[in-house]
Amino acid sequence: MSEQHGTIVIGAGPAGLTAAYELLRHGLPVRVFEADEVVGGISRTVERDGWRFDIGGHRFFTKVPRVEAFWHEILPDEDFLTRPRMSRIFYRGALFNYPLSAANALRNLGVPEAARCLGSYARARLRPPRDQSHFEGWVSARFGWRLYSIFFKTYTEKVWGMPADRLQADWAAQRIKNLSLAKAIRNAVLPRRYRTDVTSLIEEFQYPKYGPGMMWERCAEQVRHRGGEVSTGTWVTAVHRDPQRRRAISVTVNGVGGQRTEPADHVISSMPISELVTALRPAPPPEVLACAADLRYRDFLTVALVVPAEFSFPDNWIYVHDPGVRVGRIQNFGSWSPYLVKDGRTCLGLEYFVFEDDEMWRTPDADLVALATAELERLGLARPGVVEAGHVVRMPKAYPVYDERYQHNVDVIRAWLAEEVPNVHPVGRNGMHRYNNQDHSMLTAMLAAENIATGSAHDVWAVNVEQDYHEQSTGGGGRRGTGRDAPVVPSRIVAAPIATHEGVGAPTDGDRPAQVPLG
């Protein structure tokens, strides 16, 4: 098989740039086309007026040694900071530890409310909800209605944009697994040496001092230095295939130099798999196109507010469980790295989960800054009048939605691609419509590159199929998984055929918003 044309990589996020770097490691030619003007995808670092914003918060932590080695091959050790991991839950003006601790929760809830929560739990155990097929019924059956409403309901509904009783229970069952209120209390009260089946979250992580985009800007430089091409502002409009040979043979790109066709021996695609399908020429059969059109995405925007340093907090982020505001999570960029902010001030990133082209997505930036400022003041996290400036960052197609048909849709597309265009290799989060973390996206790219370079037969789709949360460490020698799924949601509720961090019910990412942060 000729390699004279080399490999075209679609997208310059973590998956695309990793694939390009790995191909060059094997001495193979590669061209990368990125539609945006900057590299990094959702792992970019946005800069506005000297402030740097991380889109969602990317903790550099992995259990995959080759990914860890890759990070440190791209950036020298002195460019990494070791940061403490800290997150809390904001509810009724109080901050609850995450994972929950009995003393902190009792103090914040108060004895009467804590007693009501225990009573609600007892009632749920005696008379559990009849319908536990949905998220709300399943969780309240195991924790009682009051704890469910405090620590599960509000945040879940903010993240997914629909009532919690319309979310399927499957993912909650996988995510919470053996956790029960009795076990949570026992593990919170007993000394660690007396606990059983202890699961704890990592206590610190690595972070590039100028944000995650620093990693991918440097990686793009290295790809170019090694002879590869990285073209930004250049989008792929068509992937041409030869049905007789069952191969992709070229792509059409459109950019600064106009439209042109580039030949290819292989195509590695990190563009949304739904868009890949519609870009194929000749077009796939109607049933494959229908599956692509049925895939949906959740979108994301951050309103970054500049405030005096006195309004900083030690957390990487705070989960907002207050139903009176729309913000779902608040990052403190100064807690990620002092290099992201300026002396005497910090920047707080208020995160909103939206659907592209809904009302909030279309709201002008100035109005979003005013909304976020009002919500920050309403929560008591800043005094009126202290916000000095604000910036808005929108991220479309940030998270693949797992509705009840997504797996069928992906399976149909995957099987057709494997049969008809096996030299097209989907990788990464959107490329595979799989809620991968950055390290998992990178691993899919590494394996795809190795398959091309060495003729290996790695199953890229087997990456991130385990059920354990990747930022947890399990005592007692239990299985240490790296994967997790997202909840199955009813597709009829998802607003539009368009186009999310740890815990239950939310898009989790270790670098994304968490949900149901119960330890």
Side-chain angles (χ1 to χ4, degrees):
M1 178 176 58
S2 171
E3 292 292 341
Q4 59 180 334
H5 300 306
T7 298
I8 286 178
V9 176
I10 305 175
L17 287 174
T18 298
Y21 190 91
E22 292 295 308
L23 287 168
L24 290 166
R25 191 194 301 278
H26 289 281
L28 300 180
V30 63
R31 288 154 289 161
V32 182
F33 298 114
E34 167 57 53
D36 213 329
E37 297 295 336
V38 297
V39 301
I42 198 173
S43 295
R44 74 188 62 185
T45 300
V46 176
E47 185 172 358
R48 303 277 177 82
D49 294 339
W51 301 91
R52 294 175 179 268
F53 316 132
D54 183 347
I55 310 302
H58 290 74
R59 293 180 174 128
F60 280 66
F61 169 83
T62 184
K63 295 177 182 177
V64 184
R66 64 191 296 184
V67 169
E68 179 89 19
F70 185 101
W71 287 336
H72 288 273
E73 184 174 338
I74 299 298
L75 289 181
D77 290 349
E78 57 265 27
D79 282 341
F80 284 97
L81 304 176
T82 298
R83 307 303 293 166
R85 182 194 192 285
M86 183 176 180
S87 307
R88 286 179 291 176
I89 304 163
F90 186 94
Y91 176 73
R92 289 187 178 176
L95 288 167
F96 291 75
N97 291 341
Y98 171 51
L100 293 176
S101 69
N104 172 261
L106 180 62
R107 181 171 61 251
N108 285 339
L109 288 174
V111 174
E113 178 62 26
R116 286 191 285 269
C117 288
L118 288 173
S120 176
Y121 168 72
R123 286 192 296 275
R125 303 308 293 170
L126 290 172
R127 299 185 62 184
R130 183 172 302 174
D131 185 0
Q132 297 182 35
S133 65
H134 52 71
F135 181 90
E136 182 169 288
W138 194 96
V139 176
S140 60
R142 286 152 181 82
F143 293 91
W145 175 264
R146 295 192 77 89
L147 276 175
Y148 158 75
S149 63
I150 294 171
F151 293 115
F152 294 77
K153 179 178 172 64
T154 300
Y155 193 83
T156 301
E157 294 182 346
K158 285 182 182 181
V159 170
W160 291 103
M162 63 188 69
D165 62 1
R166 306 306 297 267
L167 293 166
Q168 298 300 299
D170 298 9
W171 193 66
Q174 171 262 310
R175 181 62 185 87
I176 302 176
K177 296 203 299 189
N178 296 323
L179 181 63
S180 68
L181 182 60
K183 183 182 292 185
I185 293 173
R186 182 172 66 250
N187 286 341
V189 173
L190 289 176
R192 180 171 291 271
R193 65 180 180 274
Y194 294 122
R195 301 182 195 179
T196 59
D197 193 26
V198 175
T199 299
S200 60
L201 295 178
I202 62 168
E203 296 181 356
E204 59 183 27
F205 57 91
Q206 299 175 88
Y207 192 74
K209 64 183 183 181
Y210 290 111
M214 182 183 186
M215 172 71 67
W216 302 112
E217 291 160 13
R218 189 74 56 80
C219 187
E221 292 174 3
Q222 288 293 315
V223 168
R224 293 183 177 114
H225 178 72
R226 291 168 178 243
E229 298 179 22
V230 180
S231 301
T232 57
T234 306
W235 55 99
V236 172
T237 59
V239 177
H240 303 279
R241 64 189 182 93
D242 181 344
Q244 300 301 317
R245 296 170 56 205
R246 294 179 181 258
R247 297 187 62 77
I249 55 174
S250 64
V251 304
T252 296
V253 299
N254 204 339
V256 176
Q259 183 171 293
R260 66 187 187 275
T261 297
E262 297 270 348
D265 295 307
H266 289 273
V267 175
I268 293 180
S269 174
S270 65
M271 71 192 296
I273 197 170
S274 57
E275 296 181 4
L276 170 66
V277 169
T278 58
L280 286 163
R281 303 287 186 274
E287 59 270 22
V288 177
L289 290 170
C291 287
D294 199 36
L295 291 175
R296 294 168 171 84
Y297 304 83
R298 188 68 161 148
D299 309 290
F300 179 79
L301 63 84
T302 296
V303 183
L305 302 178
V306 177
V307 297
E310 65 181 286
F311 299 102
S312 183
F313 44 78
D315 309 69
N316 308 127
W317 54 55
I318 292 173
Y319 308 110
V320 181
H321 286 229
D322 188 328
V325 293
R326 297 183 66 173
V327 62
R329 197 176 69 168
I330 302 176
Q331 291 204 60
N332 180 12
F333 294 115
S335 291
W336 288 92
S337 169
Y339 295 92
L340 301 183
V341 299
K342 301 178 183 180
D343 290 344
R345 295 171 179 81
T346 192
C347 194
L348 304 180
L350 282 73
E351 298 178 347
Y352 297 87
F353 310 101
V354 297
F355 288 113
E356 191 177 8
D357 291 332
D358 69 12
E359 180 182 357
M360 192 165 189
W361 184 265
R362 299 191 305 270
T363 299
D365 287 4
D367 294 342
L368 289 174
V369 169
L371 168 67
T373 299
E375 294 199 336
L376 191 68
E377 295 170 355
R378 178 172 181 173
L379 293 170
L381 296 176
R383 289 195 309 268
V386 302
V387 172
E388 300 177 12
H391 306 276
V392 177
V393 179
R394 292 173 175 81
M395 182 57 64
K397 289 184 171 60
Y399 318 114
V401 168
Y402 282 25
D403 61 33
E404 71 266 29
R405 295 194 302 274
Y406 96 95
Q407 189 62 66
H408 166 76
N409 292 333
V410 171
D411 287 346
V412 169
I413 295 169
R414 174 185 169 187
W416 185 86
L417 289 173
E419 177 65 24
E420 297 297 327
V421 277
N423 65 331
V424 172
H425 311 268
V427 297
R429 173 182 288 189
N430 279 342
M432 302 170 73
H433 202 82
R434 174 168 290 177
Y435 199 82
N436 284 329
N437 288 345
Q438 180 176 226
D439 60 336
H440 296 130
S441 293
M442 293 172 63
L443 183 57
T444 63
M446 290 174 173
L447 297 180
E450 196 168 303
N451 286 345
I452 293 170
T454 69
S456 303
H458 298 297
D459 182 3
V460 174
W461 293 89
V463 173
N464 191 20
V465 296
E466 303 172 32
Q467 300 298 305
D468 291 344
Y469 176 43
H470 89 295
E471 284 193 17
Q472 289 176 338
S473 59
T474 304
R479 183 165 64 93
R480 300 168 62 87
T482 59
R484 42 81 191 101
D485 214 331
V488 174
V489 301
S491 58
R492 63 182 178 278
I493 303 298
V494 179
I498 44 112
T500 127
H501 294 303
E502 0 155 332
V504 176
T508 135
D509 200 330
D511 50 35
R512 293 277 357 111
Q515 175 143 347
V516 190
L518 279 174

